[in-house]
């Protein structure tokens, strides 16, 4: 959930447009600095799950799992995956067992492992999921997710509603 003090406008479209790309850049910077600093990262605290940084080009991150695989993940794919995490919520996207849905929505293994290099709280503090919104008819609700098409799933007193962003306003206080 984004701290309401950081939100500059109650207009969800404007706030999403202003903050989302900025937050994706921040997460990309955190990832690259972590990989360059540590060179290898243990995932999930498991000794057998190690992701090594093998290099970087202008377009891709090169990764390897010792004695298993070598991958390249494009920055475009990584950025789109981060966008998906910020819009759907980290617990929905990062939990591979519960990552249900169409094949298009599921992440490939290298991208999924790469997203786990960054602590979950970094995603949570940059995600609109959990922020409060106000609707003229239903009152105050909480954002559950934002679809790729921009529709917002909101919970109002136990009722789940999917709305266009221009029908709700972010609660900024």
């Amino acid at each position: 959930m984004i701290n309401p003090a950081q939100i500059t406008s109650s207009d969800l479209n404007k706030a999403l447009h202003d903050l989302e790309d900025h937050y994706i850049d921040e997460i990309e910077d955190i990832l690259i600095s972590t990989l360059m600093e540590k060179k290898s990262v243990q995932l999930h605290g498991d000794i057998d799950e190690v992701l090594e940084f093998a290099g970087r080009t202008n377009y891709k991150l090169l990764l390897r799992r010792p004695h298993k695989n070598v991958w390249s993940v494009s920055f475009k794919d990584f950025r789109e995956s981060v966008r998906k995490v910020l819009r759907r919520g980290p617990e929905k996207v990062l939990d591979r067992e519960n990552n249900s849905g169409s094949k298009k929505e599921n992440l490939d293994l290298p991208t999924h492992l790469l997203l786990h290099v960054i602590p979950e709280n970094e995603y949570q503090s940059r995600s609109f999921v959990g922020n409060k919104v106000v609707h003229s008819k239903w009152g105050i609700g909480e954002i559950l997710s934002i679809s790729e098409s921009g529709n917002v799933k909101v919970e109002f007193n136990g009722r789940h509603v999917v709305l266009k962003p221009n029908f709700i306003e972010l609660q900024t206080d």
Side-chain angles (χ1 to χ4, degrees):
M1 183 174 106
I2 296 172
N3 182 349
Q6 293 178 314
I7 299 172
T8 57
S9 172
S10 62
D11 179 8
L12 182 59
N13 270 333
K14 182 172 177 8
L16 187 62
H17 179 70
D18 291 347
L19 294 174
E20 190 173 51
D21 285 334
H22 175 71
Y23 286 151
I24 291 171
D25 289 341
E26 283 182 0
I27 288 176
E28 184 178 12
D29 290 343
I30 292 169
L31 172 78
I32 291 172
S33 62
T34 301
L35 289 174
M36 292 181 92
E37 178 184 317
K38 295 183 178 179
K39 299 292 184 202
S40 67
V41 180
Q42 277 186 1
L43 301 173
H44 317 295
D46 187 357
I47 295 173
D48 295 332
E49 275 299 334
V50 176
L51 192 63
E52 292 181 352
F53 179 56
R56 172 187 170 170
T57 69
N58 289 339
Y59 306 103
K60 295 181 180 182
L61 282 172
L62 306 174
L63 307 166
R64 100 177 112 234
R65 284 170 71 191
H67 311 294
K68 292 184 182 178
N69 307 78
V70 176
W71 295 302
S72 64
V73 177
S74 74
F75 284 112
K76 180 182 180 224
D77 290 345
F78 176 72
R79 291 177 65 82
E80 286 305 311
S81 298
V82 170
R83 185 180 314 278
K84 187 181 294 187
V85 172
L86 295 180
R87 287 181 172 217
R88 291 181 53 210
E91 56 281 339
K92 290 181 185 174
V93 179
L94 296 178
D95 185 6
R96 192 151 180 90
E97 288 76 37
N98 294 331
N99 192 3
S100 59
S102 70
K103 207 169 197 175
K104 180 182 172 193
E105 292 178 1
N106 291 331
L107 302 174
D108 60 349
L109 182 61
T111 306
H112 183 75
L113 292 174
L114 192 58
L115 289 172
H116 277 286
V117 170
I118 301 164
E120 194 172 316
N121 65 337
E122 295 290 348
Y123 296 115
Q124 287 174 338
S125 66
R126 292 169 174 84
S127 175
F128 279 99
V129 173
N131 277 84
K132 301 288 183 197
V133 293
V134 179
H135 186 272
S136 59
K137 179 180 176 184
W138 291 308
I140 297 175
E142 182 178 311
I143 296 176
L144 299 176
S145 66
I146 302 172
S147 71
E148 289 181 26
S149 62
N151 294 331
V152 183
K153 186 174 184 179
V154 182
E155 180 178 6
F156 295 103
N157 297 322
R159 182 178 180 186
H160 295 196
V161 180
V162 178
L163 300 167
K164 293 286 184 189
N166 54 341
F167 288 105
I168 53 179
E169 289 189 357
L170 283 166
Q171 190 173 25
T172 57
D173 40 50

